[in-house]
Amino acid sequence: MGASAKTVLITVTGPDQPGVTSVLLGVLARHQVDLLDVEQVVIRGRLTLGVLVSAPGDSEELQDVIEQAMASIGVDVSISVGPTLGERVVSTHAVVILGNPVTARAFSDLASALAGIGGNIDSIHGIADYPLTGLELLITIPGGGADDLELRSAIAAVAAEHAVDVAVERAGLARRAKRLIVFDVDSTLIQGEVIEMLAAHAGKEAEVAAVTEAAMRGELDFSQSLHERVKALAGLDASVIDEVAASLELTPGARTTIRTLHRLGYHCGVVSGGFRQVIDPLAHELELDFVRANTLEIAEGKLTGRVVGDVIDRAAKASSLKEFADQVGVPMEQTIAVGDGANDIDMLTAAGLGIAFNAKPALQEVADAALSHPYLDAVLFILGVTRDEIEAADIEDGTLRRVPIE
């Protein structure tokens, strides 16, 4: 840029219509300007287009020509002329806020919390309007936000006060480089607890449910609690397993989530403290790449009240995630784990991104993100995948159903 050149920021607003960009850039081309940056957004049919250029010569003449051209197509324009370029903004973090609804007060408090720690919002765009409202903010934290604890604490307070979910990740390539995701099964990928469904057939549902709750809160050793609960199933006919497997109900959005992740090239798997005999048919239906769970012992067509082999407990879940990552050559920072109970703590902390889904407090405390709404496809929004992108892909292969219960 020559010594006499000035930077000119042109902002066009008005109804979105064909030709706005071509008319503006046609004017700029005739005046031999250099294009430095362009940003455009359309919200409900209203266009905002920003163009930054380096313009030699008389900037006032250029301004007059641009204003005339934009008036001829019925849009407004504002022009700011400056002698120097500002630095290009490189965002340090991505913050996603999800709610039903996201109120103006909630968003205002989030913006205030970010400002309170010196954070600047670089851009905002909508990522979902169904079944949740989702907004993604790219922000810059002074010094790059070397310690994210202050940021996470600030947004956690907003989430708790306004009953919204707010997730934060480092911005940049690492956020889009995830390639392996592992889900817990009970109360995460599916609704309910399989062992309680089995126990209902033995007339011991309440007894088993009480032990399950204590284990999920981290009050009991999982391995001991599993053996105690499985013991209550002794004598059940093995055909009950097929009945329970056939009755499993996916969490709303689960099928959409797995389908979309497959399209993005993710390896998808499950690691469960439940049972292979019940989970395998569902894993086959969803075309999962990995399955790890306990195995019920069966003798003479009856459950013995014991499990076969090593128990898939808290430590085994984390080691399974690492094993799957090694198998497909994915580093741990490119993995995601999703779960709901204390048994998932090690798995979520080992993963590059740990997501607590309608989780117990013990898991929420260690997770990178916590979701409190009953839609598993909110996981996609945290990853920056928009509802429009999901639906566009579904339209292409004819699977679109605008309902959150797949």
Side-chain angles (χ1 to χ4, degrees):
M1 183 168 62
S4 62
K6 294 182 180 297
T7 58
V8 180
L9 176 61
I10 306 153
T11 305
V12 176
T13 58
D16 186 32
Q17 56 183 301
V20 175
T21 304
S22 63
V23 169
L24 175 59
L25 293 184
V27 171
L28 297 177
R30 290 193 293 273
H31 284 74
Q32 300 180 333
V33 305
D34 294 330
L35 193 63
L36 302 176
D37 203 357
V38 179
E39 292 281 350
Q40 177 175 307
V41 63
V42 177
I43 302 177
R44 296 295 192 264
R46 296 289 298 181
L47 167 73
T48 299
L49 168 64
V51 181
L52 182 68
V53 301
S54 169
D58 187 354
S59 59
E60 290 185 5
E61 178 186 351
L62 175 62
Q63 181 172 342
D64 289 341
V65 175
I66 292 172
E67 289 175 347
Q68 292 173 17
M70 294 298 96
S72 72
I73 56 174
V75 295
D76 299 322
V77 62
S78 66
I79 299 174
S80 175
V81 181
T84 60
L85 280 171
E87 294 184 1
R88 178 178 290 276
V89 174
V90 179
S91 303
T92 60
H93 295 79
V95 175
V96 174
I97 179 170
L98 300 167
N100 188 15
V102 175
T103 65
R105 174 60 63 188
F107 195 89
S108 172
D109 286 355
L110 175 61
S112 296
L114 294 174
I117 59 173
N120 183 68
I121 300 175
D122 305 322
S123 66
I124 306 168
H125 73 278
I127 55 174
D129 61 359
Y130 172 87
L132 300 171
T133 297
L135 300 169
E136 181 184 73
L137 293 69
L138 293 181
I139 67 171
T140 301
I141 301 295
D147 182 0
D148 290 345
L149 182 60
E150 187 178 21
L151 171 59
R152 293 183 186 279
S153 297
I155 66 174
V158 174
E161 181 177 353
H162 295 284
V164 294
D165 295 331
V166 186
V168 59
E169 283 190 83
R170 286 278 174 166
L173 286 176
R175 185 181 180 220
R176 301 196 298 274
K178 306 292 191 301
R179 284 296 173 265
L180 168 67
I181 186 166
V182 170
F183 296 89
D184 175 44
V185 175
D186 293 2
S187 298
T188 301
L189 190 66
I190 67 169
Q191 300 178 63
E193 300 285 324
V194 166
I195 197 165
E196 292 175 17
M197 300 175 197
L198 292 169
H201 288 269
K204 298 183 179 180
E205 183 177 14
E207 173 187 330
V208 168
V211 179
T212 299
E213 278 296 309
M216 292 292 284
R217 291 192 299 267
E219 297 171 3
L220 293 176
D221 173 80
F222 179 83
S223 181
Q224 292 177 337
S225 72
L226 177 69
H227 289 302
E228 183 177 339
R229 288 175 289 168
V230 171
K231 190 183 301 182
L233 306 179
L236 269 182
D237 194 283
S239 63
V240 170
I241 292 175
D242 294 333
E243 293 178 32
V244 171
S247 70
L248 296 181
E249 294 185 30
L250 287 168
T251 297
R255 198 178 302 277
T256 297
T257 302
I258 298 296
R259 182 171 66 239
T260 303
L261 290 168
H262 276 147
R263 287 171 175 156
L264 291 170
Y266 275 74
H267 301 279
C268 303
V270 292
V271 180
S272 174
F275 310 108
R276 284 293 302 252
Q277 293 100 321
V278 178
I279 295 170
D280 278 347
L282 180 63
H284 178 74
E285 178 188 345
L286 295 176
E287 300 181 347
L288 298 180
D289 301 294
F290 307 103
V291 181
R292 185 65 53 80
N294 297 299
T295 301
L296 291 166
E297 185 181 64
I298 300 172
E300 299 180 355
K302 303 286 185 180
L303 274 64
T304 66
R306 295 186 293 271
V307 293
V308 178
D310 296 333
V311 170
I312 305 302
D313 58 8
R314 176 170 161 172
K317 283 194 168 189
S319 62
S320 294
L321 172 63
K322 294 176 182 177
E323 180 183 331
F324 297 159
D326 289 343
Q327 287 181 25
V328 295
V330 172
M332 288 299 292
E333 58 266 25
Q334 293 181 1
T335 66
I336 304 167
V338 186
D340 73 306
N343 198 36
D344 298 311
I345 288 176
D346 290 4
M347 181 172 73
L348 264 66
T349 54
L353 174 65
I355 302 175
F357 182 74
N358 292 300
K360 303 297 185 291
L363 186 62
Q364 291 186 31
E365 290 174 4
V366 302
D368 298 305
L371 296 172
S372 60
H373 295 87
Y375 307 110
L376 196 60
D377 43 355
V379 169
L380 299 173
F381 306 145
I382 289 179
L383 301 180
V385 181
T386 71
R387 172 58 65 186
D388 287 345
E389 289 171 332
I390 296 167
E391 293 188 353
D394 283 346
I395 288 172
E396 287 181 6
D397 66 11
T399 59
L400 177 63
R401 294 177 61 216
R402 193 171 173 82
V403 292
I405 58 173
E406 288 197 301

